[in-house]
Amino acid sequence: TIILVNGSALTQGAINMSFNSPDISGDLIVNLSDISLFAGYYYGSYSYAADFYWDVTLNLSDISLLAQGNGAACP
C-alpha cells in the first residue's frame, strides 16, 4: 500500500494499519458468501473483518454498509 499525503508518497517509518472490506471472503466480489461470513461474526465473537463502521461493535450500521457493497466487484 502506498500512502500519499498531499500527493507525495509517505516514506518515513512503518505505520500500523488495518483494512477491511465487504468482500470478507476475498473472492473479489461482494455476494452471499460474504453475507454468510458476516452473519457468523454478527452472531458470534467480534471481528474487525466485519466492523465496517469502525466502532468496535457489530450493529445495523455495519449491515447497512455491507448491503451497499453487495454486488460490487474488484477488477
Side-chain angles (χ1 to χ4, degrees):
T1 301
I2 298 172
I3 300 170
L4 300 176
V5 177
N6 292 327
S8 299
L10 186 65
T11 58
Q12 58 195 43
I15 296 175
N16 291 328
M17 300 180 78
S18 297
F19 296 89
N20 65 0
S21 163
D23 180 20
I24 300 171
S25 68
D27 64 357
L28 303 181
I29 189 165
V30 181
N31 54 27
L32 288 177
S33 66
D34 302 299
I35 293 170
S36 175
L37 290 169
F38 178 86
Y41 291 130
Y42 191 83
Y43 291 108
S45 299
Y46 171 82
S47 175
Y48 176 77
D51 189 3
F52 307 121
Y53 190 70
W54 302 314
D55 59 357
V56 192
T57 304
L58 300 182
N59 52 34
L60 291 176
S61 298
D62 302 300
I63 293 171
S64 173
L65 292 172
L66 175 64
Q68 288 176 29
N70 191 36
C74 183

